[in-house]
Amino acid sequence: MGNTSSMLTQYDIEEVQQHCNNAFSQQEIVSLYERFCQLDRNGGGFVSGEEFLSVPEFAVNPLSQRLLRMLDGLNFKEFVAFLSAFSPRATVQQKIEFIFKVYDSDGNGKVTFNDMLDVLHDLTGQFISEQQSEVDLILEMPLFTDCKQVLTKVLEEAGYNKESLLVMSDFVKILGSSGLKMEVEVPVD
Amino acid sequence: MSSGKGGELIPSSSELDLDRPNIEDYLPSGSSIQEPLGKLRLCDLLDISPTLTEAAGAIVDDSFTRCFKSNPPEPWNWNVYLFPLWCCGVVIRYLILFPVRVIVLTVGWIIFLSCFIPVHLLLKGHDKLQKNMERALVELICSFFVASWTGVINYHGPRPSMRPKQVFVANHTSMIDFIILEQMSSFAVIMQKHPGWVGLLQSTILESVGCIWFNRTEAKDRETVTKKLREHSQGVDNNPLLIFPEGTCVNNQYSVMFKKGAFELGCTICPIAIKYNKIFVDAFWNSRKQSFTMHLLQLMTSWAVVCDVWYLEPQNLRPDETPIEFAERVRDIISVRAGLKKVPWDGYLKYSRPSPKHRERKQQSFAESVLRRLEEN
């Protein structure tokens, strides 16, 4: 694969296809290459964080910073492998693995309470605050306004606790039964 | 969830805002979380797939980048018979047409300058006469420009009548939009100040038709410019204003959000739709990829610039409408006429990041649904 040339050979395409376990068809890989070149404006062979953030739809996504950590500096082959979890041909296992990787920011194969808390914070911003829980004056019930409390409660109901370290198999158990919809269509001209 | 209702304060001009109606109407469905279905469980919290899908969707294809993609015409010279034909075409275009056009343009400039300079210097006292002559001369040089690309322009609709309190708006594909429109009737235009020879032209000749300059990068600029716009539009003797509310060049297949500045002046808005025929040349000026000089040279070495210009029915602000809604309505009229797809993004996102408001809105709706489901026991 040339550094800046916009020409993909058949050999290149097959190599990429193998690397992503046939998640994409050859036509889709060509389209993805066009897209990669379009994003990689300075022609460095990889798309920088800045270049990803210049896509407004990506920049407004709450998980963009987390994903940027995984995306920064990827070359085209790795870029396609990254996106392979979103292919309709990917298995549920692969999708759950991707989600696990998003949570497991230090890559040690274990997701801690803090990892999950961080993601929850990304998704809710300041709208679930860090303050102590208040009491709902009308219902006279404790109002959960704290991310930690929400997460702890939900974890305990599922049979875990704050100290639990979740591994891949836990994620499969938790997410495997719900119909996981995580697909993206690659536009093919 | 309109952001432009009556009493809302205009945010500080230092923030490049996306004043726009509900963006969720345009984005693909699959918002952060679906309608609550009973109690909140661990899998609901851990399942970040909708958000991830949105992010991946944006990586793979997004409507904003599509607006600024140059779409060169399909190469058709790919076989033994057509290729020599194409080569002949190249020879004719570069070695015959191009020199002829350069000559035409040079002649035009000579005529223009030899009339304009004396008029400008000698008729200083006679304002009305000077203005009329300069306007006619600018129209002349624009016609020469159009001829230098072999411009075939079909004007549809009634020619705009020159009345005060009237502002013209059009979709923007390239700076030649201005030249094409100026050829027919004299407009005053609001433009970004450019460097180089274009800037020189702007400060000398275009002054005579009455132009307003702005600087995209200066935040406070917006207020001064709005004031100037208002003053100009009220003036009886001024050329009618031509404004490109998109604020940037778009590739003639999409239209980005219209800025509301033109629509809050209290004037009648006359929409103009411009559509270029791509078979002859892609007239989109991709300012990221080429300078204006290169763009002009590209036009001058093509067969022709063919386009349609529609002067559409003048519109007024309706009593129950905000300026933003008015802008959207006019954008709709222009987009339908010119066959453009509408996109909910602000053109200025080419130069800056979206405001955190949008991410916050998503976060807020997710947070609310989590809290709501928690309370369902």
Side-chain angles (χ1 to χ4, degrees):
Chain A
M1 222 156 327
N3 298 329
T4 51
S5 71
S6 303
M7 294 296 297
L8 263 190
T9 67
Q10 181 63 26
Y11 179 69
D12 292 330
I13 297 178
E14 284 169 5
E15 198 188 324
V16 170
Q17 201 175 27
Q18 223 182 1
H19 188 79
C20 70
N21 292 320
N22 288 317
F24 292 110
S25 73
Q26 299 205 347
Q27 266 183 314
E28 288 171 333
I29 292 181
V30 172
S31 288
L32 283 174
Y33 189 68
E34 268 172 31
R35 175 66 174 180
F36 186 81
C37 293
Q38 194 184 55
L39 291 173
D40 178 19
R41 252 180 269 145
N42 63 0
F46 65 92
V47 183
S48 67
E50 277 299 304
E51 288 164 340
F52 275 117
L53 288 176
S54 72
V55 176
E57 230 171 285
F58 181 79
V60 304
N61 192 290
L63 292 176
S64 52
Q65 288 303 324
R66 236 158 219 273
L67 289 171
L68 274 183
R69 255 176 272 152
M70 297 164 73
L71 277 167
D72 203 14
L74 294 184
N75 65 21
F76 178 60
K77 204 162 68 164
E78 295 158 352
F79 175 74
V80 174
F82 175 89
L83 288 175
S84 59
F86 296 90
S87 150
R89 297 182 195 85
T91 63
V92 173
Q93 175 84 6
Q94 287 171 316
K95 294 183 201 280
I96 298 180
E97 265 172 29
F98 186 88
I99 296 180
F100 187 84
K101 265 192 248 153
V102 174
Y103 275 96
D104 182 20
S105 43
D106 54 7
N108 63 357
K110 302 196 201 29
V111 169
T112 66
F113 181 81
N114 282 325
D115 288 331
M116 291 187 274
L117 197 62
D118 282 340
V119 173
L120 194 57
H121 274 145
D122 284 340
L123 288 176
T124 57
Q126 84 240 72
F127 296 98
I128 296 186
S129 66
E130 292 280 0
Q131 286 143 20
Q132 288 296 91
S133 68
E134 295 156 11
V135 175
D136 185 319
L137 293 170
I138 299 167
L139 296 176
E140 288 182 9
M141 278 174 55
L143 240 192
F144 290 99
T145 55
D146 186 335
C147 265
K148 276 209 190 98
Q149 295 186 315
V150 170
L151 190 56
T152 316
K153 174 175 194 278
V154 169
L155 265 177
E156 282 168 1
E157 280 174 7
Y160 299 95
N161 58 48
K162 274 184 75 171
E163 276 77 45
S164 307
L165 295 173
L166 287 106
V167 291
M168 189 54 207
S169 52
D170 292 309
F171 263 64
V172 172
K173 199 164 35 132
I174 299 166
L175 294 173
S177 44
S178 60
L180 205 62
K181 275 229 75 186
M182 205 165 90
E183 267 168 37
V184 142
E185 198 190 308
V186 178
V188 173
D189 295 317
Chain B
M1 247 204 322
S2 172
S3 55
K5 287 274 185 292
E8 192 183 291
L9 287 171
I10 299 170
S12 71
S13 51
S14 58
E15 200 189 82
L16 283 172
D17 245 339
L18 294 193
D19 329 276
R20 71 318 170 266
N22 204 343
I23 215 173
E24 269 70 37
D25 287 339
Y26 294 91
L27 285 180
S29 62
S31 49
S32 298
I33 204 165
Q34 278 117 1
E35 271 311 302
L37 305 158
K39 217 158 102 96
L40 189 70
R41 296 159 296 162
L42 185 59
C43 61
D44 302 313
L45 269 193
L46 285 185
D47 184 4
I48 49 176
S49 61
T51 314
L52 288 180
T53 312
E54 270 176 24
I59 294 176
V60 161
D61 188 23
D62 76 294
S63 52
F64 185 71
T65 318
R66 260 185 266 145
C67 292
F68 303 102
K69 199 168 145 200
S70 306
N71 296 313
E74 292 287 317
W76 53 272
N77 56 357
W78 41 264
N79 76 9
V80 165
Y81 308 104
L82 295 179
F83 188 68
L85 210 63
W86 179 77
C87 284
C88 286
V90 170
V91 164
I92 297 177
R93 278 189 287 133
Y94 279 79
L95 298 180
I96 304 179
L97 283 183
F98 181 63
V100 167
R101 287 168 177 173
V102 170
I103 294 173
V104 163
L105 198 57
T106 318
V107 165
W109 274 106
I110 294 174
I111 298 179
F112 173 76
L113 288 170
S114 53
C115 297
F116 188 83
I117 295 178
V119 164
H120 195 69
L121 296 172
L122 299 175
L123 285 181
K124 271 264 153 64
H126 313 264
D127 261 352
K128 189 103 198 210
L129 183 61
Q130 177 188 26
K131 262 204 176 152
N132 286 334
M133 289 206 67
E134 286 180 349
R135 273 178 211 180
L137 284 172
V138 174
E139 279 182 40
L140 181 73
I141 187 65
C142 286
S143 306
F144 268 102
F145 257 115
V146 172
S148 76
W149 326 306
T150 317
V152 177
I153 304 167
N154 299 314
Y155 296 94
H156 309 268
R159 238 180 103 159
S161 17
M162 298 303 137
R163 287 188 290 228
K165 302 207 92 191
Q166 207 178 230
V167 165
F168 290 82
V169 303
N171 59 308
H172 200 27
T173 305
S174 162
M175 287 223 284
I176 68 174
D177 291 337
F178 167 67
I179 299 177
I180 285 174
L181 293 175
E182 187 78 14
Q183 188 199 212
M184 265 306 257
S185 28
S186 226
F187 290 109
V189 77
I190 162 173
M191 283 176 114
Q192 162 86 28
K193 208 61 193 282
H194 282 273
W197 65 272
V198 182
L200 183 64
L201 278 189
Q202 287 178 325
S203 31
T204 48
I205 296 164
L206 292 181
E207 279 298 322
S208 65
V209 288
C211 290
I212 297 174
W213 313 114
F214 68 85
N215 202 335
R216 233 174 243 141
T217 48
E218 262 171 58
K220 280 271 176 284
D221 207 48
R222 218 165 101 168
E223 290 153 10
T224 21
V225 167
T226 319
K227 205 162 38 126
K228 285 193 215 167
L229 283 180
R230 208 180 286 267
E231 280 166 13
H232 187 108
S233 56
Q234 315 285 7
V236 172
D237 215 20
N238 293 327
N239 277 339
L241 263 177
L242 172 62
I243 299 181
F244 296 107
E246 287 173 311
T248 188
C249 291
V250 185
N251 73 357
N252 211 227
Q253 288 182 300
Y254 295 89
S255 69
V256 295
M257 299 290 301
F258 275 14
K259 298 195 175 313
K260 63 181 179 159
F263 300 88
E264 354 176 75
L265 297 171
C267 300
T268 311
I269 302 284
C270 305
I272 302 178
I274 308 177
K275 182 79 174 181
Y276 292 89
N277 188 328
K278 268 223 305 272
I279 298 180
F280 293 93
V281 74
D282 182 12
F284 168 49
W285 177 37
N286 194 339
S287 51
R288 280 191 243 175
K289 285 225 178 106
Q290 38 176 212
S291 67
F292 190 59
T293 317
M294 285 310 300
H295 175 61
L296 273 188
L297 286 177
Q298 187 198 342
L299 292 177
M300 286 173 78
T301 53
S302 320
W303 289 109
V305 171
V306 177
C307 75
D308 286 287
V309 173
W310 289 276
Y311 295 107
L312 301 169
E313 194 187 317
Q315 305 287 327
N316 281 300
L317 183 69
R318 292 195 187 138
D320 54 340
E321 241 181 1
T322 67
I324 297 178
E325 288 166 352
F326 184 30
E328 273 300 284
R329 184 164 62 89
V330 172
R331 174 160 91 119
D332 204 35
I333 295 172
I334 293 180
S335 303
V336 165
R337 182 68 271 186
L340 307 171
K341 291 186 215 125
K342 295 188 339 178
V343 146
W345 304 105
D346 180 332
Y348 277 11
L349 285 174
K350 245 183 177 177
Y351 311 101
S352 74
R353 288 290 137 70
S355 117
K357 263 204 312 207
H358 309 283
R359 182 183 306 183
E360 282 170 14
R361 214 165 275 166
K362 283 177 189 269
Q363 289 171 325
Q364 184 174 21
S365 82
F366 181 76
E368 280 170 6
S369 73
V370 164
L371 292 175
R372 228 183 305 143
R373 288 182 72 173
L374 259 187
E375 285 165 28
E376 280 179 36
N377 281 317

